[in-house]
Amino acid sequence: MIQQAFFAQPNASEWIELSPGNTRRVLIHTPEMMQVEFGFEKGAIGALHSHPHIQVSYVAEGSFEVTIDGKTEIVGQGGSFIVPSGLVHGVVALEKGRLVDVFTPHRADFL
């Protein structure tokens, strides 16, 4: 039987640099769900992409220009957005910031 982690402590996982100004770390996951933190320097881009997972994102710090399915809106600290399965989406960091994303099911490509 696989041991399930019920808790994730601060700094328990390592940051991975995705591109200059853009980092990611997986916080906690099960086969059904995953929580991931992304860090962005001002001007960093989360390029337009799509995936089969449902994604909900919380702006923990900063503000972002968020595009989902061709619609763009600025979402600031404390705001959230949801991306249904398969829709093209991306972000631009308008200032240094962090997003906390939850995916269902988990993103195997992040593990």
Side-chain angles (χ1 to χ4, degrees):
M1 183 167 126
I2 296 174
Q3 180 70 23
Q4 173 62 55
F6 294 115
F7 305 97
Q9 297 298 334
N11 300 315
S13 56
E14 297 293 321
W15 287 96
I16 297 168
E17 185 174 22
L18 304 173
S19 61
N22 193 336
T23 57
R24 171 184 77 211
R25 66 178 175 163
V26 173
L27 300 174
I28 196 165
H29 65 90
T30 69
E32 301 83 17
M33 183 177 291
M34 170 181 273
Q35 186 179 52
V36 181
E37 184 175 13
F38 290 86
F40 294 85
E41 293 299 323
K42 181 178 180 178
I45 296 171
L48 290 172
H49 65 287
S50 67
H51 45 73
H53 314 82
I54 298 169
Q55 172 184 334
V56 63
S57 300
Y58 173 73
V59 180
E61 178 185 345
S63 63
F64 294 83
E65 181 182 274
V66 181
T67 301
I68 304 169
D69 196 31
K71 297 173 186 72
T72 300
E73 192 167 319
I74 294 174
V75 183
Q77 184 171 336
S80 298
F81 56 93
I82 193 162
V83 182
S85 176
L87 290 188
V88 174
H89 60 285
V91 300
V92 176
L94 300 177
E95 56 189 292
K96 181 177 179 170
R98 291 181 302 115
L99 296 175
V100 177
D101 293 355
V102 174
F103 298 95
T104 183
H106 79 271
R107 297 276 310 252
D109 55 323
F110 287 3
L111 298 176

XYZ file of all heavy atoms in Angstrom:
855
model
N 0.842 -1.187 0.000
C 0.000 0.000 0.000
C 0.887 1.251 0.000
O 1.844 1.350 0.755
C -0.883 -0.031 1.245
C -1.851 1.108 1.308
S -3.090 0.802 2.585
C -2.917 2.276 3.524
N 0.541 2.222 -0.831
C 1.304 3.474 -0.917
C 0.919 4.379 0.251
O -0.263 4.567 0.540
C 1.028 4.191 -2.258
C 1.516 3.325 -3.417
C 1.673 5.560 -2.292
C 1.175 3.874 -4.767
N 1.931 4.929 0.908
C 1.701 5.854 2.017
C 1.218 7.192 1.460
O 1.867 7.781 0.606
C 3.004 6.053 2.809
C 2.876 6.997 3.972
C 2.036 6.441 5.115
O 1.885 5.254 5.253
N 1.478 7.322 5.908
N 0.077 7.662 1.915
C -0.489 8.935 1.474
C 0.015 10.064 2.358
O -0.067 9.978 3.576
C -2.021 8.872 1.530
C -2.705 10.191 1.251
C -2.407 10.715 -0.127
O -2.621 10.022 -1.109
N -1.909 11.918 -0.219
N 0.526 11.119 1.740
C 0.933 12.311 2.483
C -0.308 13.172 2.718
O -1.004 13.531 1.781
C 1.971 13.085 1.703
N -0.573 13.468 3.969
C -1.714 14.311 4.310
C -1.310 15.764 4.526
O -2.156 16.638 4.558
C -2.397 13.800 5.584
C -3.043 12.455 5.421
C -2.579 11.374 6.131
C -4.114 12.276 4.556
C -3.170 10.132 6.003
C -4.713 11.040 4.414
C -4.237 9.960 5.135
N -0.024 16.005 4.707
C 0.460 17.347 5.023
C 1.649 17.693 4.132
O 2.422 16.816 3.757
C 0.908 17.429 6.492
C -0.152 17.007 7.455
C -0.170 15.720 7.967
C -1.138 17.897 7.847
C -1.152 15.319 8.858
C -2.125 17.507 8.733
C -2.139 16.215 9.242
N 1.807 18.970 3.836
C 2.982 19.469 3.121
C 3.490 20.678 3.895
O 2.762 21.647 4.078
C 2.635 19.857 1.692
N 4.709 20.611 4.357
C 5.296 21.696 5.143
C 5.996 22.702 4.222
O 6.452 22.347 3.137
C 6.290 21.125 6.159
C 5.646 20.205 7.184
C 4.610 20.913 8.048
O 4.650 22.118 8.252
N 3.645 20.145 8.554
N 6.085 23.970 4.671
C 6.782 24.979 3.867
C 8.204 24.528 3.530
O 8.891 23.950 4.370
C 6.808 26.215 4.766
C 5.722 25.996 5.749
C 5.607 24.501 5.940
N 8.614 24.771 2.331
C 9.962 24.460 1.834
C 10.294 22.972 1.841
O 11.461 22.597 1.816
C 11.021 25.253 2.610
C 10.788 26.739 2.469
O 10.536 27.233 1.372
N 10.839 27.463 3.566
N 9.273 22.097 1.860
C 9.510 20.651 1.814
C 9.842 20.186 0.398
O 10.420 19.132 0.216
C 8.297 19.897 2.341
N 9.477 20.984 -0.600
C 9.766 20.609 -1.986
C 10.672 21.655 -2.630
O 10.695 22.812 -2.224
C 8.476 20.446 -2.785
O 7.703 21.623 -2.734
N 11.403 21.224 -3.625
C 12.382 22.082 -4.301
C 11.744 22.861 -5.450
O 10.884 22.342 -6.157
C 13.526 21.217 -4.867
C 14.328 20.479 -3.811
C 15.117 21.418 -2.929
O 15.661 22.411 -3.443
O 15.182 21.153 -1.710
N 12.203 24.085 -5.634
C 11.813 24.892 -6.788
C 12.581 24.398 -8.013
O 13.765 24.099 -7.923
C 12.136 26.362 -6.558
C 11.232 27.033 -5.573
C 11.467 27.223 -4.246
C 9.956 27.617 -5.832
N 10.416 27.882 -3.662
C 9.473 28.136 -4.605
C 9.173 27.744 -6.976
C 8.240 28.787 -4.505
C 7.949 28.384 -6.867
C 7.497 28.900 -5.659
N 11.909 24.349 -9.146
C 12.510 23.985 -10.431
C 12.408 25.204 -11.335
O 11.325 25.792 -11.461
C 11.772 22.798 -11.079
C 11.877 21.557 -10.203
C 12.292 22.522 -12.486
C 10.942 20.445 -10.629
N 13.520 25.597 -11.954
C 13.473 26.726 -12.891
C 12.965 26.220 -14.228
O 13.537 25.303 -14.820
C 14.844 27.373 -13.051
C 14.776 28.606 -13.927
C 16.092 29.373 -14.005
O 17.146 28.775 -13.749
O 16.030 30.572 -14.327
N 11.867 26.808 -14.700
C 11.269 26.425 -15.977
C 11.852 27.239 -17.118
O 12.063 26.727 -18.211
C 9.755 26.615 -15.922
C 9.047 25.867 -14.793
C 7.593 26.266 -14.720
C 9.197 24.368 -14.988
N 12.078 28.505 -16.859
C 12.682 29.445 -17.805
C 13.101 30.642 -16.977
O 12.708 30.753 -15.815
C 11.677 29.835 -18.899
O 10.554 30.471 -18.337
N 13.898 31.549 -17.533
C 14.299 32.709 -16.734
C 13.077 33.446 -16.164
O 12.150 33.788 -16.891
C 15.062 33.576 -17.730
C 15.597 32.597 -18.730
C 14.521 31.549 -18.859
N 13.056 33.619 -14.844
C 11.966 34.333 -14.194
C 10.739 33.503 -13.898
O 9.725 34.039 -13.461
N 10.792 32.179 -14.135
C 9.618 31.332 -13.987
C 10.019 30.035 -13.283
O 10.825 29.275 -13.802
C 9.041 31.045 -15.373
C 7.663 30.433 -15.338
O 7.261 29.818 -14.357
N 6.942 30.580 -16.425
N 9.470 29.803 -12.084
C 9.806 28.607 -11.303
C 8.535 27.867 -10.882
O 7.437 28.433 -10.896
C 10.611 28.969 -10.039
O 9.863 29.902 -9.265
C 11.968 29.557 -10.393
N 8.723 26.596 -10.490
C 7.592 25.764 -10.084
C 8.034 24.798 -8.996
O 9.169 24.330 -8.998
C 7.096 24.968 -11.295
C 6.065 23.910 -10.959
C 5.660 23.085 -12.167
N 6.676 22.112 -12.497
C 6.942 21.676 -13.725
N 6.289 22.155 -14.763
N 7.877 20.776 -13.934
N 7.114 24.486 -8.073
C 7.344 23.390 -7.139
C 6.006 22.711 -6.843
O 4.978 23.367 -6.660
C 8.022 23.848 -5.857
C 7.215 24.764 -4.982
C 7.987 25.107 -3.730
N 7.257 26.090 -2.935
C 7.506 26.339 -1.678
N 8.481 25.687 -1.067
N 6.823 27.231 -1.022
N 6.034 21.383 -6.846
C 4.853 20.595 -6.498
C 4.769 20.582 -4.974
O 5.729 20.219 -4.292
C 4.962 19.163 -7.061
C 3.811 18.303 -6.555
C 4.988 19.195 -8.587
N 3.625 20.992 -4.432
C 3.453 21.069 -2.988
C 2.960 19.747 -2.405
O 3.489 19.266 -1.412
C 2.497 22.204 -2.623
C 2.948 23.601 -3.065
C 1.862 24.627 -2.777
C 4.258 23.981 -2.390
N 1.929 19.175 -3.028
C 1.351 17.926 -2.531
C 0.474 17.346 -3.632
O -0.033 18.088 -4.476
C 0.544 18.180 -1.226
C 0.270 16.888 -0.480
C -0.689 19.005 -1.488
C -0.189 17.108 0.969
N 0.313 16.018 -3.628
C -0.528 15.421 -4.672
C -1.037 14.040 -4.272
O -0.465 13.371 -3.409
C 0.230 15.331 -5.997
C 1.411 14.410 -5.957
N 1.322 13.072 -6.268
C 2.693 14.621 -5.613
C 2.511 12.509 -6.125
N 3.363 13.438 -5.726
N -2.137 13.679 -4.907
C -2.682 12.331 -4.903
C -2.916 12.003 -6.379
O -2.769 12.886 -7.234
C -4.027 12.250 -4.143
O -5.024 12.961 -4.891
C -3.934 12.810 -2.742
N -3.323 10.788 -6.716
C -3.637 10.520 -8.125
C -4.770 11.394 -8.667
O -4.815 11.714 -9.845
C -4.043 9.040 -8.124
C -3.318 8.462 -6.955
C -3.331 9.561 -5.909
N -5.670 11.826 -7.777
C -6.840 12.589 -8.215
C -6.634 14.097 -8.260
O -7.384 14.805 -8.912
C -8.036 12.320 -7.281
C -8.453 10.876 -7.199
C -7.630 10.054 -6.210
O -6.937 10.629 -5.338
O -7.675 8.822 -6.317
N -5.606 14.606 -7.537
C -5.472 16.056 -7.379
C -4.020 16.434 -7.088
O -3.273 15.640 -6.521
C -6.362 16.511 -6.221
C -6.394 17.994 -5.988
S -7.546 18.430 -4.652
C -9.105 18.035 -5.420
N -3.655 17.650 -7.451
C -2.287 18.132 -7.230
C -2.320 19.627 -6.949
O -3.063 20.369 -7.595
C -1.450 17.857 -8.472
C -0.079 18.495 -8.489
S 0.801 18.120 -10.031
C 1.543 16.565 -9.587
N -1.469 20.074 -5.994
C -1.310 21.501 -5.708
C 0.127 21.885 -6.056
O 1.076 21.221 -5.632
C -1.591 21.779 -4.240
C -1.589 23.259 -3.913
C -1.890 23.491 -2.448
O -1.251 22.910 -1.587
N -2.872 24.351 -2.178
N 0.257 22.958 -6.841
C 1.555 23.384 -7.365
C 1.676 24.892 -7.183
O 0.721 25.638 -7.411
C 1.677 23.046 -8.873
C 3.020 23.467 -9.431
C 1.436 21.560 -9.111
N 2.866 25.347 -6.788
C 3.138 26.779 -6.653
C 4.061 27.213 -7.783
O 5.054 26.545 -8.074
C 3.799 27.057 -5.303
C 4.023 28.518 -5.036
C 4.564 28.771 -3.637
O 4.997 27.813 -2.962
O 4.552 29.936 -3.227
N 3.718 28.312 -8.433
C 4.532 28.885 -9.499
C 5.011 30.259 -9.067
O 4.230 31.052 -8.539
C 3.710 29.044 -10.790
C 3.358 27.750 -11.459
C 2.233 27.041 -11.080
C 4.161 27.233 -12.459
C 1.899 25.848 -11.693
C 3.842 26.042 -13.079
C 2.709 25.343 -12.690
N 6.282 30.553 -9.296
C 6.844 31.862 -9.015
C 7.189 32.566 -10.308
O 7.709 31.950 -11.238
N 6.893 33.861 -10.377
C 7.135 34.653 -11.576
C 7.841 35.945 -11.218
O 7.427 36.638 -10.282
C 5.813 35.032 -12.255
C 5.040 33.882 -12.824
C 4.186 33.142 -12.028
C 5.148 33.554 -14.160
C 3.459 32.093 -12.543
C 4.425 32.512 -14.689
C 3.577 31.772 -13.887
N 8.871 36.285 -11.948
C 9.450 37.622 -11.868
C 8.601 38.542 -12.743
O 7.872 38.075 -13.638
C 10.907 37.611 -12.362
C 11.844 36.824 -11.463
C 11.940 37.372 -10.049
O 11.904 38.612 -9.876
O 12.037 36.555 -9.111
N 8.678 39.835 -12.509
C 7.917 40.801 -13.310
C 8.214 40.589 -14.792
O 9.375 40.477 -15.191
C 8.283 42.232 -12.907
C 7.516 43.281 -13.666
C 7.858 44.677 -13.211
C 7.051 45.682 -14.011
N 7.308 47.046 -13.572
N 7.170 40.501 -15.592
C 7.303 40.323 -17.038
C 7.412 38.881 -17.491
O 7.353 38.607 -18.687
N 7.572 37.939 -16.558
C 7.675 36.523 -16.936
C 6.351 36.051 -17.526
O 5.275 36.519 -17.155
C 8.076 35.664 -15.750
N 6.458 35.102 -18.440
C 5.295 34.621 -19.178
C 5.065 33.142 -18.908
O 5.998 32.341 -18.950
C 5.511 34.837 -20.697
C 5.596 36.328 -20.991
C 4.397 34.177 -21.508
C 6.014 36.657 -22.409
N 3.832 32.810 -18.629
C 3.377 31.422 -18.646
C 2.725 31.260 -20.007
O 1.595 31.705 -20.224
N 3.459 30.698 -20.953
C 3.047 30.660 -22.367
C 1.683 29.996 -22.551
O 1.294 29.112 -21.779
C 4.095 29.920 -23.183
N 0.973 30.438 -23.588
C -0.319 29.844 -23.917
C -0.147 28.347 -24.148
O 0.777 27.917 -24.844
C -0.905 30.505 -25.167
C -1.377 31.952 -24.997
C -1.757 32.542 -26.346
C -2.548 32.033 -24.022
N -1.024 27.563 -23.546
C -0.975 26.106 -23.660
C -2.337 25.546 -23.255
O -3.209 26.282 -22.785
C 0.116 25.529 -22.736
C -0.149 25.739 -21.288
N -0.021 26.974 -20.672
C -0.566 24.890 -20.321
C -0.338 26.861 -19.391
N -0.676 25.599 -19.146
N -2.506 24.247 -23.429
C -3.715 23.580 -22.942
C -3.329 22.203 -22.424
O -2.257 21.680 -22.744
C -4.766 23.461 -24.050
O -4.322 22.577 -25.054
N -4.187 21.630 -21.610
C -3.989 20.287 -21.077
C -5.361 19.736 -20.699
O -6.326 20.491 -20.553
C -3.029 20.294 -19.880
C -3.286 21.362 -18.878
N -4.347 21.340 -18.002
C -2.632 22.521 -18.629
C -4.329 22.420 -17.240
N -3.301 23.164 -17.606
N -5.455 18.413 -20.538
C -6.760 17.814 -20.233
C -7.216 17.992 -18.785
O -8.357 17.695 -18.466
C -6.549 16.329 -20.555
C -5.090 16.110 -20.356
C -4.424 17.397 -20.783
N -6.344 18.509 -17.927
C -6.663 18.658 -16.512
C -7.524 19.892 -16.275
O -7.381 20.897 -16.966
C -5.375 18.810 -15.692
C -4.338 17.819 -16.066
N -3.507 18.006 -17.147
C -4.013 16.621 -15.529
C -2.712 16.957 -17.252
N -2.991 16.106 -16.293
N -8.407 19.846 -15.292
C -9.100 21.038 -14.818
C -8.136 21.738 -13.872
O -7.454 21.093 -13.080
C -10.405 20.673 -14.090
C -11.352 19.960 -15.054
C -11.062 21.927 -13.506
C -12.547 19.329 -14.370
N -8.050 23.056 -13.982
C -7.104 23.840 -13.180
C -7.839 24.981 -12.511
O -8.630 25.678 -13.143
C -6.011 24.388 -14.090
C -5.075 25.377 -13.451
C -4.078 25.949 -14.455
O -3.760 25.314 -15.461
N -3.596 27.142 -14.196
N -7.561 25.188 -11.223
C -8.021 26.381 -10.535
C -6.776 27.046 -9.949
O -5.893 26.362 -9.426
C -9.091 26.086 -9.459
C -8.564 25.211 -8.354
C -9.670 27.369 -8.892
N -6.674 28.360 -10.105
C -5.481 29.093 -9.693
C -5.847 30.217 -8.740
O -6.835 30.925 -8.945
C -4.778 29.691 -10.914
O -4.388 28.677 -11.805
N -5.005 30.380 -7.714
C -5.151 31.440 -6.723
C -3.937 32.347 -6.822
O -2.800 31.862 -6.824
C -5.241 30.824 -5.322
C -5.226 31.841 -4.211
C -6.333 32.646 -3.958
C -4.091 32.016 -3.413
C -6.321 33.580 -2.939
C -4.074 32.952 -2.395
C -5.179 33.732 -2.162
O -5.169 34.664 -1.157
N -4.151 33.649 -6.923
C -3.060 34.606 -6.980
C -2.627 34.908 -5.546
O -3.275 35.669 -4.831
C -3.461 35.892 -7.723
C -2.289 36.869 -7.770
C -3.943 35.573 -9.144
N -1.534 34.273 -5.129
C -1.039 34.431 -3.761
C -0.262 35.725 -3.582
O -0.177 36.259 -2.474
C -0.154 33.240 -3.388
N 0.310 36.224 -4.681
C 1.120 37.445 -4.627
C 1.164 38.047 -6.019
O 1.221 37.333 -7.014
C 2.532 37.083 -4.173
C 3.517 38.228 -4.119
C 4.930 37.745 -3.769
O 5.104 36.613 -3.302
O 5.865 38.533 -3.991
N 1.131 39.378 -6.115
C 1.290 40.063 -7.389
C -0.009 40.209 -8.159
O -1.105 40.088 -7.619
N 0.144 40.475 -9.463
C -1.009 40.550 -10.361
C -0.586 40.011 -11.726
O 0.577 40.112 -12.119
C -1.552 41.977 -10.483
O -0.597 42.837 -11.050
N -1.551 39.427 -12.409
C -1.293 38.726 -13.657
C -2.323 39.097 -14.706
O -3.509 39.269 -14.402
C -1.362 37.202 -13.442
C -0.269 36.679 -12.559
C -0.377 36.732 -11.178
C 0.877 36.134 -13.111
C 0.630 36.260 -10.356
C 1.892 35.659 -12.303
C 1.771 35.716 -10.922
N -1.864 39.200 -15.942
C -2.755 39.270 -17.088
C -3.021 37.815 -17.467
O -2.098 37.095 -17.845
C -2.081 40.023 -18.227
C -2.951 40.173 -19.446
C -2.212 40.895 -20.549
O -2.229 42.140 -20.569
O -1.600 40.202 -21.376
N -4.261 37.396 -17.331
C -4.633 36.003 -17.539
C -5.490 35.903 -18.792
O -6.478 36.632 -18.925
C -5.421 35.445 -16.336
C -5.786 33.986 -16.554
C -4.631 35.632 -15.039
N -5.122 35.001 -19.693
C -5.901 34.748 -20.899
C -6.410 33.317 -20.856
O -5.635 32.381 -20.660
C -5.060 34.976 -22.164
O -4.589 36.328 -22.170
C -5.863 34.719 -23.424
N -7.724 33.165 -21.012
C -8.365 31.854 -21.061
C -9.315 31.852 -22.247
O -10.227 32.684 -22.315
C -9.153 31.547 -19.768
C -8.255 31.660 -18.535
C -9.802 30.162 -19.855
C -9.018 31.634 -17.217
N -9.077 30.938 -23.189
C -9.955 30.781 -24.347
C -10.158 32.109 -25.091
O -11.269 32.448 -25.488
C -11.293 30.184 -23.905
C -12.098 29.628 -25.065
O -11.496 29.154 -26.055
O -13.350 29.657 -24.985
N -9.073 32.891 -25.222
C -9.119 34.143 -25.965
C -9.624 35.346 -25.180
O -9.625 36.461 -25.696
N -10.053 35.147 -23.945
C -10.525 36.255 -23.107
C -9.431 36.603 -22.104
O -8.873 35.713 -21.468
C -11.805 35.857 -22.378
C -12.963 35.561 -23.310
C -14.154 35.004 -22.536
C -15.266 34.574 -23.461
N -14.976 33.363 -24.218
N -9.156 37.909 -21.942
C -8.074 38.344 -21.060
C -8.614 39.258 -19.972
O -9.444 40.131 -20.235
C -6.986 39.084 -21.879
O -6.477 38.193 -22.870
C -5.842 39.541 -20.990
N -8.111 39.039 -18.756
C -8.488 39.865 -17.621
C -7.292 39.957 -16.675
O -6.485 39.035 -16.600
C -9.679 39.225 -16.893
C -10.330 40.126 -15.875
C -11.684 39.602 -15.403
O -12.458 39.104 -16.231
O -11.934 39.713 -14.186
N -7.184 41.051 -15.955
C -6.137 41.190 -14.940
C -6.698 40.665 -13.622
O -7.791 41.051 -13.201
C -5.675 42.651 -14.812
C -4.976 43.069 -16.115
C -4.740 42.820 -13.614
C -4.595 44.513 -16.195
N -5.921 39.760 -12.996
C -6.326 39.160 -11.724
C -5.236 39.477 -10.702
O -4.064 39.146 -10.914
C -6.528 37.636 -11.847
C -7.007 37.054 -10.526
C -7.520 37.305 -12.962
N -5.628 40.143 -9.610
C -4.679 40.562 -8.590
C -4.644 39.639 -7.397
O -5.403 38.658 -7.315
N -3.757 39.972 -6.460
C -3.571 39.184 -5.239
C -4.913 38.924 -4.560
O -5.717 39.838 -4.380
C -2.642 39.924 -4.281
C -2.316 39.127 -3.036
C -1.235 39.778 -2.206
O -0.423 40.542 -2.701
N -1.229 39.478 -0.925
N -5.144 37.661 -4.220
C -6.390 37.262 -3.586
C -7.447 36.803 -4.571
O -8.453 36.224 -4.172
N -7.224 37.043 -5.869
C -8.169 36.611 -6.894
C -7.886 35.191 -7.357
O -6.836 34.616 -7.053
N -8.820 34.639 -8.093
C -8.705 33.278 -8.604
C -9.224 33.202 -10.029
O -9.960 34.074 -10.474
C -9.530 32.308 -7.748
O -9.082 32.263 -6.424
N -8.853 32.126 -10.706
C -9.441 31.817 -12.007
C -9.459 30.309 -12.192
O -8.708 29.582 -11.553
C -8.714 32.526 -13.157
C -7.234 32.257 -13.259
C -6.743 31.244 -14.071
C -6.327 33.046 -12.559
C -5.373 31.012 -14.182
C -4.959 32.824 -12.664
C -4.484 31.810 -13.478
N -10.369 29.852 -13.050
C -10.500 28.422 -13.314
C -10.361 28.187 -14.813
O -10.825 29.004 -15.625
C -11.833 27.873 -12.766
C -11.825 26.352 -12.766
C -13.026 28.435 -13.502
C -12.889 25.741 -11.866
N -9.687 27.096 -15.157
C -9.465 26.736 -16.555
C -10.078 25.357 -16.788
O -9.558 24.356 -16.297
C -7.962 26.709 -16.913
C -7.780 26.390 -18.382
C -7.289 28.019 -16.544
N -11.186 25.284 -17.512
C -11.752 23.982 -17.833
C -10.824 23.161 -18.727
O -9.949 23.706 -19.410
C -13.049 24.335 -18.579
C -13.392 25.717 -18.091
C -12.054 26.389 -17.923
N -11.009 21.882 -18.713
C -10.196 20.951 -19.494
C -10.120 21.358 -20.964
O -11.129 21.680 -21.588
C -10.820 19.554 -19.381
O -10.144 18.631 -20.181
N -8.894 21.390 -21.486
C -8.677 21.599 -22.908
C -8.633 23.029 -23.403
O -8.306 23.255 -24.562
N -8.948 24.016 -22.564
C -8.938 25.404 -23.046
C -7.518 25.965 -23.058
O -6.725 25.721 -22.152
C -9.817 26.296 -22.173
C -11.330 26.075 -22.259
C -12.068 27.169 -21.496
C -11.815 26.008 -23.696
N -7.213 26.750 -24.080
C -5.907 27.404 -24.191
C -5.864 28.555 -23.194
O -6.803 29.359 -23.114
C -5.673 27.911 -25.632
C -4.384 28.712 -25.730
C -5.642 26.729 -26.606
N -4.757 28.619 -22.432
C -4.630 29.641 -21.398
C -3.162 29.965 -21.155
O -2.275 29.188 -21.498
C -5.291 29.171 -20.091
C -4.687 27.921 -19.536
N -4.923 26.676 -20.096
C -3.851 27.709 -18.499
C -4.255 25.754 -19.406
N -3.590 26.364 -18.431
N -2.916 31.128 -20.554
C -1.566 31.552 -20.216
C -1.628 32.810 -19.375
O -2.689 33.407 -19.204
N -0.462 33.203 -18.834
C -0.401 34.388 -17.977
C 0.836 35.216 -18.301
O 1.822 34.709 -18.835
C -0.376 34.024 -16.470
C -1.615 33.242 -16.069
C 0.887 33.280 -16.093
N 0.764 36.496 -17.931
C 1.910 37.395 -17.938
C 1.942 38.042 -16.552
O 0.919 38.581 -16.088
C 1.790 38.488 -19.018
C 2.961 39.469 -18.930
C 1.697 37.877 -20.409
N 3.089 37.978 -15.890
C 3.234 38.584 -14.564
C 3.414 40.093 -14.725
O 4.395 40.543 -15.313
C 4.428 37.975 -13.834
N 2.489 40.873 -14.214
C 2.567 42.328 -14.300
C 3.504 42.888 -13.231
O 3.926 44.037 -13.314
C 1.177 42.934 -14.171
C 0.181 42.474 -15.254
C -1.189 43.072 -14.997
C 0.693 42.817 -16.642
N 3.810 42.060 -12.234
C 4.775 42.360 -11.186
C 5.233 41.011 -10.640
O 4.683 39.977 -11.023
C 4.140 43.222 -10.092
C 2.888 42.611 -9.487
C 2.151 43.555 -8.562
O 2.703 43.871 -7.489
O 1.036 43.969 -8.911
N 6.233 41.020 -9.789
C 6.673 39.756 -9.199
C 5.480 39.114 -8.497
O 4.721 39.794 -7.803
C 7.802 40.012 -8.202
C 8.335 38.753 -7.575
C 9.493 39.028 -6.649
C 9.954 37.705 -6.045
N 11.203 37.851 -5.319
N 5.303 37.799 -8.693
C 4.138 37.164 -8.102
C 4.232 35.662 -7.994
O 5.190 35.042 -8.459
N 3.200 35.104 -7.360
C 3.095 33.655 -7.177
C 1.662 33.216 -7.427
O 0.712 33.884 -6.994
C 3.479 33.243 -5.748
C 4.928 33.404 -5.420
C 5.272 32.966 -3.989
N 4.505 33.717 -3.003
C 3.589 33.195 -2.188
N 3.318 31.919 -2.205
N 2.950 33.967 -1.322
N 1.519 32.093 -8.113
C 0.233 31.435 -8.304
C 0.258 30.099 -7.582
O 1.274 29.402 -7.604
C -0.040 31.172 -9.787
C -0.187 32.376 -10.700
C -0.337 31.916 -12.144
C -1.385 33.217 -10.283
N -0.845 29.736 -6.961
C -1.002 28.401 -6.401
C -2.107 27.732 -7.210
O -3.262 28.179 -7.199
C -1.362 28.446 -4.896
C -1.578 27.038 -4.369
C -0.249 29.155 -4.112
N -1.717 26.685 -7.944
C -2.633 25.991 -8.844
C -3.012 24.634 -8.273
O -2.181 23.955 -7.660
C -1.975 25.746 -10.202
C -1.699 27.018 -10.986
O -2.098 28.108 -10.535
O -1.093 26.915 -12.062
N -4.249 24.251 -8.511
C -4.717 22.907 -8.196
C -5.185 22.283 -9.499
O -5.926 22.916 -10.270
C -5.858 22.932 -7.158
C -6.429 21.534 -6.944
C -5.364 23.519 -5.843
N -4.731 21.065 -9.758
C -5.082 20.330 -10.968
C -5.810 19.048 -10.590
O -5.459 18.390 -9.614
C -3.820 19.927 -11.749
C -2.993 21.078 -12.227
C -1.915 21.523 -11.468
C -3.274 21.710 -13.422
C -1.133 22.577 -11.900
C -2.490 22.768 -13.862
C -1.417 23.198 -13.098
N -6.808 18.693 -11.388
C -7.438 17.394 -11.252
C -7.638 16.804 -12.634
O -8.125 17.510 -13.520
C -8.758 17.455 -10.455
O -9.270 16.123 -10.300
C -9.814 18.320 -11.094
N -7.201 15.547 -12.866
C -6.366 14.768 -11.958
C -4.962 15.379 -11.860
O -4.698 16.402 -12.482
C -6.329 13.380 -12.612
C -6.512 13.657 -14.072
C -7.413 14.859 -14.136
N -4.067 14.715 -11.119
C -2.715 15.253 -10.959
C -1.988 15.317 -12.308
O -2.330 14.612 -13.245
C -1.904 14.442 -9.940
C -1.348 13.166 -10.468
N -2.036 11.979 -10.431
C -0.151 12.887 -11.034
C -1.298 11.027 -10.955
N -0.160 11.549 -11.343
N -0.986 16.191 -12.391
C -0.170 16.352 -13.592
C 1.036 15.410 -13.493
O 2.033 15.736 -12.866
C 0.335 17.800 -13.716
C -0.727 18.871 -13.882
C -1.178 19.041 -15.310
N -0.110 19.183 -16.261
C 0.211 20.306 -16.894
N -0.453 21.419 -16.627
N 1.190 20.322 -17.779
N 0.937 14.251 -14.089
C 2.048 13.280 -14.052
C 3.313 13.879 -14.659
O 4.411 13.537 -14.237
C 1.638 11.998 -14.787
N 3.158 14.798 -15.612
C 4.333 15.417 -16.255
C 5.092 16.323 -15.298
O 6.226 16.705 -15.579
C 3.919 16.183 -17.518
C 2.840 17.212 -17.290
O 1.911 16.975 -16.484
O 2.888 18.279 -17.937
N 4.527 16.668 -14.162
C 5.216 17.492 -13.172
C 5.984 16.674 -12.135
O 6.726 17.219 -11.337
C 4.231 18.390 -12.419
C 3.690 19.557 -13.212
C 4.007 19.765 -14.544
C 2.839 20.456 -12.602
C 3.491 20.835 -15.256
C 2.339 21.539 -13.300
C 2.648 21.726 -14.626
N 5.773 15.362 -12.123
C 6.395 14.508 -11.101
C 7.699 13.898 -11.584
O 7.914 13.696 -12.724
C 5.442 13.397 -10.661
C 4.155 13.911 -10.021
C 3.237 12.740 -9.709
C 4.454 14.700 -8.755
